[in-house]
Amino acid sequence: VGEQTVCMLSLYSVFHLNPGYSAVSESKRKDLILHCYWPLLDLVKRRKWPIGLEVSGWGLEEIYRLDPTWVRTAAELARRNLIEIVGSGYSQIIGPLVPFAVNKRNFELGWAAYQQILCVQPEIALINEQAFSGGVGDVLKSFGVKGALMEWNNPYFDHPEWDPMLLYSPARARLPSGETLPILWNHSVTFQKVQRFAHGELSSDEMVRWLESQLRLAGRGVLSLYGNDAE
């Protein structure tokens, strides 16, 4: 996933693209690509700011149907290592709620779409709806995934024995197969602050103070700056 550095704190961001976003009508999807997805690519090109882009196989097909130039531009930026494509399967299903075979088929279809449209095979996956299970992890490993992005806050709430400093470093999830899956933490408090900043509800000084507080805690650690909807 794309990485920037502020002093000693390394930041990474992954933007979730969902052309089926419920607040946007189907007739407005082209506007969504024009006013949201294109500015994201323009930012990457202008600032050379590497990021992760996560989109489902269905979402990728829909964007390609409406604006194939956007997809070709994203693919070119991926080849230049300015974008890392993060996979999530064909549909944004909640993995632990469906059988293993359904999860496996969902990722088969998704990975086929990434290969066919972008000519890439994602090495990092987003855990759909941040709902992790060992079975989902084993499916991801079977597709060659080297790591997954997962929310920190709820698992930490359920595991008060965890050292809070674990937030600032990668972890490994132990899977039923006996293998492990590297995990990158997505920090919901930080991405919510970024959203508030983007909407003018948080000043730049307040945003900087928050990041400085994380720097003081993390030292040479890593932190997810943003890991939510691009919309």
Side-chain angles (χ1 to χ4, degrees):
V1 176
E3 184 176 276
Q4 315 101 51
T5 302
V6 177
C7 297
M8 294 180 294
L9 180 63
S10 295
L11 305 175
Y12 55 92
S13 297
V14 178
F15 292 82
H16 167 61
L17 276 57
N18 179 15
Y21 190 64
S22 59
V24 179
S25 65
E26 186 173 352
S27 64
K28 296 292 185 180
R29 286 177 184 168
K30 283 189 176 181
D31 291 337
L32 177 64
I33 296 170
L34 177 63
H35 296 297
C36 180
Y37 299 170
W38 270 113
L40 198 55
L41 296 190
D42 291 340
L43 177 65
V44 170
K45 290 190 292 184
R46 186 173 68 253
R47 297 293 182 91
K48 301 297 187 292
W49 180 43
I51 62 171
L53 283 184
E54 182 275 322
V55 60
S56 69
W58 173 86
L60 185 60
E61 290 177 348
E62 182 68 2
I63 297 170
Y64 186 75
R65 181 182 72 84
L66 296 170
D67 192 342
T69 302
W70 187 94
V71 174
R72 287 192 287 267
T73 303
E76 173 59 25
L77 291 172
R79 285 191 289 270
R80 292 165 54 189
N81 295 319
L82 287 173
I83 284 177
E84 178 151 359
I85 302 300
V86 177
S88 61
Y90 187 78
S91 178
Q92 194 179 343
I93 63 176
I94 301 175
L97 298 183
V98 300
F100 183 90
V102 174
N103 276 308
K104 186 174 182 180
R105 184 57 175 160
N106 185 47
F107 283 102
E108 284 176 351
L109 293 172
W111 258 241
Y114 301 134
Q115 181 63 48
Q116 180 179 0
I117 298 174
L118 291 172
C119 298
V120 300
Q121 292 288 277
E123 294 186 343
I124 295 179
L126 176 77
I127 302 298
N128 284 336
E129 301 298 334
Q130 308 294 272
F132 180 82
S133 71
V136 170
D138 275 330
V139 170
L140 292 175
K141 290 286 287 191
S142 73
F143 283 90
V145 169
K146 295 181 179 179
L149 190 71
M150 174 67 196
E151 185 205 29
W152 160 264
N153 305 78
N154 281 309
Y156 177 60
F157 179 80
D158 286 333
H159 292 275
E161 75 280 7
W162 285 4
D163 183 344
M165 295 305 293
L166 290 174
L167 166 64
Y168 305 105
S169 61
R172 285 183 177 272
R174 187 178 294 112
L175 306 177
S177 63
E179 295 193 70
T180 61
L181 178 68
I183 298 292
L184 284 172
W185 296 117
N186 180 23
H187 194 222
S188 61
V189 173
T190 300
F191 79 61
Q192 288 166 3
K193 286 183 180 293
V194 173
Q195 288 174 333
R196 291 177 59 198
F197 170 67
H199 285 280
E201 298 171 358
L202 199 70
S203 71
S204 57
D205 287 342
E206 290 172 311
M207 191 72 239
V208 169
R209 282 198 296 271
W210 170 257
L211 292 177
E212 288 175 339
S213 73
Q214 298 305 297
L215 172 60
R216 287 191 294 272
L217 288 170
R220 294 183 179 275
V222 295
L223 177 69
S224 169
L225 178 66
Y226 193 76
N228 203 249
D229 298 332
E231 295 81 14

